[in-house]
Amino acid sequence: MTGRVAIGIDLGTTYSCVAAWFDKHNRVKIIPNQQGNNITPSCVAWNGTQVLVGEAAKNQITRNPTNTIVDVKRLMGARFGDGVVKKDIESRPFKVVEGPGEKLVIVFEHESKEKKYSPEEISSLILRNLKEAAEVFLGTTVTDAVITVPAYFNDNQRQATLDAGVLAGLNVKRLISEPTSAAIAYGLDKSADVKRPKEKNVLIFDLGGGTFDVSLLRIDDTGTVTVKAVGGDTYLGGENFDRLMVNHCVEMFKKKEKKDVSGNARTMMRLKIACEKAKRDLSSTTQIPIEVDCLFEGIDLSMKFSRAKFEEINVGFFNMCIKHVENCLRDGNMHKKDVDDVVIVGGSTRIPKVQQMLMEYFDGKPLCKSINADEAVAYGAAVLAANLNGYGNKKVKDLMLKDVTPLSLGIKVNIDGDGGRE
Ligand code: AMP
């Protein structure tokens, strides 16, 4: 490696991922966490004595919901008085109060002890966890990083992400939008053997755990990436599908055992964990048993869930995804025939029905999915990170990233460490 090592981080709503360019293998490597997994839950908890991050935090969520925070990304750069944020806070099991300057303060309480965090501080704990995983894996100190943010993030949200990076001890070389990062990940593959056409339109379909983002990018012959339109729903994702599965299980249990478990938070959380796992399995199999010992009042849950049932209960959400694609194309003044590539990212795009509907919408166009759905964004960030530090794949050395988001025109989109835009 000629330059100083730099990592790419996808700081996601439900999961985060870190990657780095490997000169030795001439490609990006996704860095596993301490547990050996390539993605880490964006989750932080306090158990009264210890602050837990990632899998350790997620694993104790049913026992300690009021001191466990997930989805902190939604609170980044927010003001206490913001309408949407207020609604969001109300639905959370943990306490959020107003701090100076209308800032949010997350309060963990254990017995009579209290711990207060800003959303940036919570995010910084996740970033530090990823940084440390990278240091262990790479066997060197890591400070330089590229962090991804949603294309629609405003100035405050971008600044909060940058602040989180600094708190984590990172030198944030650049913030880059998630769709642009995914496009870089795939652009790399293509530029290796295909002559770049004059201009390329790429649609990024990103369906994660809690959010759905659709973005339309134009990449010109110099490699300049311009975000033409963004759309989606910040409250649509895998969790919606889990919830409908849980509701279905609750109804089945009610029918069979004459017991209503919906009022018991712990039971509902255990059901959610079982359903989420079953949902993942249903992407590769057509029927799955859901079994939870002693679910409620000593009674076990044992039932079968079919892929057909899963698709039937979620068809409304899947249709909404396609509607958002249509709207995004309309906002970008583009016809679906003008789209050269459709890239899918986000764990929920593994759902076969989602892929099928998207492919049908684009009249059978094959989807770009050779890079793992939940790793593509970090992958692209790692390519850019290596590039900014003067190493990595020479083919992307000339990438000029404009990354202009129509929604935030007029604000400085590329807040990077060395200032200014490339
Ligand atoms: P992300 O935020 O991109 O990491 O995506 C996380 C979401 O993807 C969660 O809701 C997961 O349950 C979902 N997910 C991951 N793998 C699969 C799969 N094989 N099938 C369906 N959903 C999945």
Side-chain angles (χ1 to χ4, degrees), residues 29-53:
K29 179 96 185 76
I30 304 295
I31 295 171
N33 61 20
Q34 268 183 336
Q35 290 74 21
N37 297 320
N38 283 359
I39 54 172
T40 296
S42 304
C43 187
V44 172
W46 185 54
N47 62 13
T49 47
Q50 244 184 322
V51 175
L52 305 166
V53 183

Side-chain angles (χ1 to χ4, degrees), residues 10 12-16 39 206-211 237-239 241-242 276 279-284 310 345-352 373-374:
D10 169 11
T13 309
T14 46
Y15 286 93
S16 295
I39 54 172
D206 182 352
L207 187 59
T211 57
E239 273 159 27
F241 315 149
D242 301 344
E276 200 253 354
K279 174 192 71 175
R280 288 174 186 247
D281 292 343
L282 283 175
S283 291
S284 50
F310 173 76
V345 291
S348 299
T349 59
R350 292 211 179 86
I351 297 168
D374 28 34

Side-chain angles (χ1 to χ4, degrees), residues 204-422:
I204 314 284
F205 182 99
D206 182 352
L207 187 59
T211 57
F212 172 50
D213 299 323
V214 51
S215 321
L216 193 54
L217 311 182
R218 178 164 292 166
I219 306 174
D220 74 12
D221 54 350
T222 65
T224 302
V225 181
T226 310
V227 183
K228 300 296 290 177
V230 290
D233 185 336
T234 49
Y235 286 89
L236 173 57
E239 273 159 27
N240 298 75
F241 315 149
D242 301 344
R243 217 167 292 134
L244 291 193
M245 281 183 88
V246 167
N247 291 350
H248 183 74
C249 292
V250 168
E251 285 311 309
M252 291 292 108
F253 196 79
K254 209 188 275 175
K255 221 169 172 177
K256 194 169 162 215
E257 311 292 347
K258 312 277 174 288
K259 302 268 182 204
D260 183 3
V261 305
S262 60
N264 186 313
R266 188 154 186 264
T267 301
M268 291 297 277
M269 187 63 88
R270 290 182 70 209
L271 251 185
K272 183 187 175 314
I273 291 169
C275 285
E276 200 253 354
K277 186 182 175 309
K279 174 192 71 175
R280 288 174 186 247
D281 292 343
L282 283 175
S283 291
S284 50
T285 185
T286 52
Q287 180 150 297
I288 192 86
I290 301 187
E291 272 153 15
V292 186
D293 289 347
C294 293
L295 178 72
F296 191 68
E297 294 177 359
I299 309 167
D300 299 342
L301 170 82
S302 176
M303 61 181 282
K304 288 198 165 59
F305 216 108
S306 69
R307 186 190 284 178
K309 187 60 162 180
F310 173 76
E311 291 173 355
E312 181 196 315
I313 60 177
N314 282 299
V315 69
F317 287 132
F318 300 159
N319 283 329
M320 271 161 79
C321 290
I322 300 298
K323 196 86 207 127
H324 284 298
V325 169
E326 243 169 36
N327 292 345
C328 184
L329 285 169
R330 203 187 45 230
D331 291 347
N333 283 323
M334 221 176 270
H335 188 267
K336 61 180 175 177
K337 288 206 163 39
D338 302 325
V339 174
D340 298 287
D341 285 309
V342 180
V343 175
I344 55 169
V345 291
S348 299
T349 59
R350 292 211 179 86
I351 297 168
K353 188 72 183 171
V354 170
Q355 293 191 14
Q356 182 202 332
M357 288 174 74
L358 189 61
M359 227 164 117
E360 275 167 12
Y361 177 77
F362 282 100
D363 304 320
K365 180 183 274 306
L367 309 173
C368 298
K369 54 174 181 177
S370 60
I371 301 175
N372 244 335
D374 28 34
E375 297 169 3
V377 170
Y379 189 120
V383 171
L384 179 63
N387 226 254
L388 292 171
N389 271 21
Y391 64 99
N393 191 315
K394 290 181 186 58
K395 294 197 180 77
V396 290
K397 274 235 152 69
D398 302 329
L399 262 186
M400 300 220 332
L401 297 163
K402 244 197 195 147
D403 202 21
V404 176
T405 312
L407 284 185
S408 49
L409 276 181
I411 66 160
K412 189 169 167 258
V413 174
N414 282 343
I415 308 168
D416 59 9
D418 9 280
R421 184 176 288 164
E422 269 198 326

